[in-house]
Amino acid sequence: GVVTDQVTGLPAAGASVCMQGIRHGITNWHRVQTSADGRYELGGVPDGAFTVAAWREGLTIQRRQVPATGEPATVVNFALSR
């Protein structure tokens, strides 16, 4: 997916993207940072329902409920506001 600044439309480089899911009764977290072009990838996600959150200093946090269903990859884009 891609994380952008909602006001400027520019990539939100260095934003954090975190996935939270529950598997076998245990809460699991997976966190990555966006590249210079605002892109990120969360690999190795099993099928199931997850909460994905994106944030960066100066921009608001945004959360989404996402169903992961394997191939093809589920793409989640975020446009963060100030």
Side-chain angles (χ1 to χ4, degrees):
V2 179
V3 182
T4 58
D5 180 317
Q6 186 180 40
V7 173
T8 66
L10 295 173
S16 294
V17 180
C18 181
M19 177 194 74
Q20 176 188 15
I22 299 176
R23 188 168 184 189
H24 305 297
I26 300 170
T27 301
N28 297 300
W29 293 89
H30 184 61
R31 181 176 168 184
V32 297
Q33 283 195 307
T34 59
S35 60
D37 61 359
R39 296 189 181 279
Y40 74 93
E41 184 174 326
L42 295 164
V45 178
D47 288 356
F50 300 92
T51 299
V52 179
W55 69 93
R56 192 182 81 179
E57 187 175 332
L59 301 175
T60 60
I61 188 169
Q62 204 175 88
R63 292 180 181 88
R64 301 248 178 88
Q65 295 290 341
V66 179
T69 57
E71 296 298 328
T74 301
V75 177
V76 182
N77 297 322
F78 293 92
L80 305 180
S81 60
R82 295 175 183 250

